[in-house]
Amino acid sequence: MSVKPEDFFKNIISHSKEYGYIFQSSEIYDGLSAVYDYGQNGAELKKNIREYWWKAMVQLHDNIVGIDAAIFMHPTVWKASGHVDAFNDPLIDNKDSKKRYRADVLIEEHVAKIEDKIKKEVEKAAKRFENFDEAMFRSTNARVVEYQNKINEINNRFKTALNENNLAEVRQIIIDCEIVCPISGSRNWTDVRQFNLMFSTAMGSVSEEASTIYLRPETAQGIFVNYLNVQKTGRMKIPFGIAQTGKAFRNEIVARQFIFRMREFEQMEMQFFVKPGTENHWYDYWKENRLKWHLSLGLGKENYKYHDHLKLAHYAKAACDIEFQFPFGFKELEGIHSRSDFDLKQHEEHSGKKLQYFDVEENKSYVPYVVETSVGLDRLFLSILSAAYKEELLENGETRVVLSLPPALAPTKVAIFPLVKKDGLPELAEKIVSKLKFDFNVAYDEKDTVGKRYRRQDAIGTPYCITVDHQSLEDNCVTIRNRDTMQQERINIDALHAYLEDRVTLKSLLKQL
């Protein structure tokens, strides 16, 4: 079914609430902006995504280990990392709508619109290929070149302005590109200002004696300050990695697009410590490795692309994003960064402690370089949800809403139905539940017709449904239905465990890596 992107996204948000995936935080008190709670199905899906990342990152690599660092850290950590002085977003207000926007996002979205024009020109030319003469070719090519030149000009100006922290030039780019406020439609913009994103709080029993500390805006620093502890206690040899998942907090002024940009979110990060001079090799390795991991989810290769950063962070030698095609366009999903030795050297300087690695083979000590992979768990959740949500028009004219989640990540792996609530069918169905529930998340449902139960599980995203009927009492077989194909087959009850093991466990995904 063809649905406008904005309506499609609204349908996903509505579906998330209706089927227990995501709720607005503190909803009974009118909610808290840009903060969300994960419901019973959302918590399961999130846990499964996190576990798949952890197993792929830690369990499958013999030189990567995991830690769980505290959210609260010594305030000097954030001074050393540069967050106190440089963790800012460039913000601009529209005087007519009174709305605030990230200036960089306005410019990036404007560039994306020009890229869409190029795509449409190419698609239009492809449709007219048979009658496409030389004059038409020159005309189309001229327009494409014109659009590309505009993109290059904007990107070059924007990159220079950011590198020089020239906020007046950033505003001028917005003016020159004739970018309007989506609400008011006007170009009545204020100056661009920087806004620090860290949340601060106080630690101490008496307010006068309290020390200002910060809620961590990223999980990476907990890895850096523990790197030597892990290396020594784990007897780790370069190259090696340290992984971590956990909450981070950013005071996003322009938080939007559901769970894409929130004030409280979860990161899954891995810092890979390498010998200086080998960082380019490992940067390329992790770019390829992480894209392969995303592709293993089966959401479509066409939905991913690399995007090199125009402006590098203060610590980076190289940086790129793996972007995903969300309902609102290609946006950052995961970042891969070559961080050089910036972080460890900064912590050496501010702490007064040596953070060097002694290389036995080289017979010398040095501060390792770092290659980072960092993915937002909530954004990953949204990417999977967006790709999985489908509204299908069936042959009988009905609409089927289905979440085609990767089976290994689905909250419920299998739902078991007795055909009717009598004749011993519920008892047999419950026996099957008892056999499977120790290894799989199983649902039992006996309410409504089997057809309605199928539709309910389709909407939840359950990959398989098992129906126990009267014949099951005679031949010990049940009917198992596939969510995506709606195909059914008979299978012996004793073979169910092995059948599901091959199809709905994380092993089925891990084998692809």
Side-chain angles (χ1 to χ4, degrees):
M1 295 180 67
S2 179
V3 182
K4 291 181 179 178
E6 58 270 23
D7 293 332
F8 180 74
F9 193 40
K10 288 177 183 176
N11 291 347
I12 292 172
I13 295 172
S14 176
H15 191 88
S16 296
K17 179 180 179 182
E18 184 177 358
Y19 288 93
Y21 277 89
I22 301 171
F23 307 132
Q24 178 71 55
S25 177
S26 311
E27 186 178 26
I28 63 172
Y29 293 101
D30 297 327
L32 187 62
S33 176
V35 183
Y36 292 91
D37 300 329
Y38 286 82
Q40 64 275 27
N41 286 319
E44 285 290 335
L45 175 56
K46 195 176 184 183
K47 174 181 70 68
N48 292 340
I49 297 170
R50 186 191 300 111
E51 187 178 356
Y52 178 44
W53 180 89
W54 189 269
K55 284 181 177 291
M57 189 63 77
V58 178
Q59 190 169 317
L60 295 192
H61 292 92
D62 57 10
N63 61 343
I64 298 177
V65 295
I67 67 168
D68 182 10
I71 288 173
F72 292 135
M73 302 182 73
H74 194 285
T76 309
V77 167
W78 305 111
K79 182 70 175 174
S81 67
H83 284 82
V84 171
D85 299 320
F87 192 54
N88 306 304
D89 270 349
L91 301 179
I92 190 169
D93 294 350
N94 183 267
K95 297 177 183 178
D96 298 319
S97 68
K98 313 299 182 189
K99 294 291 184 181
R100 181 167 290 170
Y101 302 91
R102 276 182 54 177
D104 56 332
V105 170
L106 286 176
I107 294 171
E108 287 168 2
E109 288 179 345
H110 179 73
V111 169
K113 288 178 182 177
I114 301 175
E115 289 173 341
D116 284 342
K117 289 181 180 179
I118 293 176
K119 185 179 177 182
K120 287 177 182 177
E121 287 290 342
V122 173
E123 289 175 347
K124 199 186 301 180
K127 288 180 181 178
R128 298 179 304 188
F129 180 75
E130 292 182 2
N131 301 315
F132 202 61
D133 58 26
E134 187 176 343
M136 290 173 68
F137 172 79
R138 286 199 299 269
S139 176
T140 299
N141 188 56
R143 284 193 296 272
V144 169
V145 170
E146 180 186 353
Y147 290 144
Q148 191 58 57
N149 287 339
K150 278 186 182 179
I151 291 173
N152 293 339
E153 180 190 353
I154 294 169
N155 284 341
N156 289 336
R157 285 183 65 188
F158 186 39
K159 180 179 180 180
T160 301
L162 289 178
N163 286 333
E164 296 175 355
N165 198 29
N166 188 344
L167 300 183
E169 172 65 0
V170 173
R171 179 181 184 273
Q172 193 58 48
I173 294 171
I174 292 173
I175 299 298
D176 293 346
C177 290
E178 300 183 345
I179 297 173
V180 302
C181 168
I183 305 298
S184 68
S186 77
R187 302 171 192 154
N188 194 8
W189 298 107
T190 65
D191 292 337
V192 178
R193 293 169 294 165
Q194 294 283 20
F195 183 85
N196 194 283
L197 301 177
M198 283 199 295
F199 283 106
S200 62
T201 187
M203 179 176 283
S205 57
V206 181
S207 60
E208 290 80 6
E209 300 173 358
S211 173
T212 299
I213 62 171
Y214 301 97
L215 295 180
R216 66 183 182 195
E218 65 175 26
T219 59
Q221 298 306 319
I223 294 175
F224 292 130
V225 299
N226 280 297
Y227 125 83
L228 210 53
N229 286 334
V230 173
Q231 188 271 317
K232 288 180 177 178
T233 58
R235 301 169 69 198
M236 309 295 290
K237 292 183 178 180
I238 291 281
F240 70 91
I242 303 175
Q244 179 174 211
T245 70
K247 288 290 185 76
F249 308 84
R250 296 180 184 177
N251 192 13
E252 297 279 3
I253 296 301
V254 190
R256 57 180 180 161
Q257 293 166 327
F258 196 31
I259 61 171
F260 180 80
R261 191 180 301 282
M262 300 191 293
R263 294 188 171 96
E264 175 186 337
F265 56 97
E266 191 165 349
Q267 289 183 306
M268 302 189 297
E269 296 193 317
M270 191 278 296
Q271 309 299 325
F272 200 68
F273 300 89
V274 305
K275 181 181 176 181
T278 66
E279 66 275 7
N280 291 340
H281 163 76
W282 289 111
Y283 176 71
D284 292 337
Y285 170 85
W286 284 110
K287 276 180 65 175
E288 183 180 341
N289 180 280
R290 293 306 301 151
L291 182 58
K292 184 179 180 181
W293 184 89
H294 287 286
L295 293 175
S296 73
L297 298 174
L299 306 185
K301 188 175 182 179
E302 69 281 0
N303 287 322
Y304 298 91
K305 69 177 183 179
Y306 290 119
H307 173 73
D308 292 321
H309 285 205
L310 283 174
K311 180 192 177 185
L312 295 178
H314 55 276
Y315 54 74
K317 284 191 66 181
C320 83
D321 296 330
I322 295 175
E323 293 190 336
F324 182 80
Q325 177 75 67
F326 289 96
F328 39 83
F330 272 100
K331 298 291 181 182
E332 177 191 353
L333 182 60
E334 175 161 4
I336 294 94
H337 311 121
S338 180
R339 297 181 73 123
S340 71
D341 58 0
F342 171 84
D343 299 277
L344 294 179
K345 280 194 171 178
Q346 284 293 105
H347 289 305
E348 270 195 337
E349 180 183 333
H350 284 77
S351 68
K353 308 286 174 49
K354 282 192 174 183
L355 298 178
Q356 297 186 354
Y357 169 81
F358 181 72
D359 193 322
V360 178
E361 295 179 0
E362 297 281 334
N363 195 31
K364 67 177 182 179
S365 296
Y366 54 79
V367 176
Y369 274 35
V370 177
V371 176
E372 170 189 70
T373 76
S374 176
V375 59
L377 177 51
D378 307 275
R379 289 189 181 186
L380 187 54
F381 185 107
L382 183 58
S383 71
I384 292 169
L385 201 64
S386 300
Y389 181 83
K390 296 179 175 65
E391 298 175 5
E392 298 177 349
L393 186 62
L394 303 179
E395 292 181 0
N396 61 6
E398 294 181 6
T399 299
R400 180 176 85 124
V401 176
V402 58
L403 280 185
S404 293
L405 299 166
L409 303 182
T412 302
K413 307 304 184 190
V414 60
I416 299 170
F417 312 148
L419 184 62
V420 293
K421 294 189 287 184
K422 58 182 181 179
D423 302 334
L425 300 188
E427 289 76 8
L428 180 55
E430 287 172 356
K431 282 184 181 179
I432 297 173
V433 170
S434 297
K435 282 185 176 181
L436 298 178
K437 69 181 181 181
F438 293 102
D439 295 308
F440 310 102
N441 199 1
V442 181
Y444 175 84
D445 193 355
E446 60 180 23
K447 185 181 179 183
D448 296 323
T449 65
V450 170
K452 287 184 178 179
R453 284 180 266 176
Y454 281 154
R455 291 290 177 267
R456 189 153 54 236
Q457 295 300 325
D458 288 344
I460 291 171
T462 306
Y464 293 99
C465 291
I466 292 171
T467 302
V468 178
D469 54 30
H470 291 92
Q471 189 178 342
S472 302
L473 299 173
E474 300 174 9
D475 61 9
N476 202 44
C477 291
V478 292
T479 299
I480 190 163
R481 172 189 179 267
N482 183 295
R483 173 199 63 202
D484 298 325
T485 65
M486 294 187 285
Q487 297 296 312
Q488 301 182 13
E489 60 179 303
R490 295 289 287 183
I491 185 170
N492 193 284
I493 292 173
D494 296 333
L496 281 174
H497 192 284
Y499 184 95
L500 294 171
E501 179 76 23
D502 289 340
R503 292 165 173 81
V504 303
T505 61
L506 289 177
K507 190 188 298 183
S508 63
L509 288 177
L510 292 167
K511 284 180 178 179
Q512 300 178 47
L513 300 178

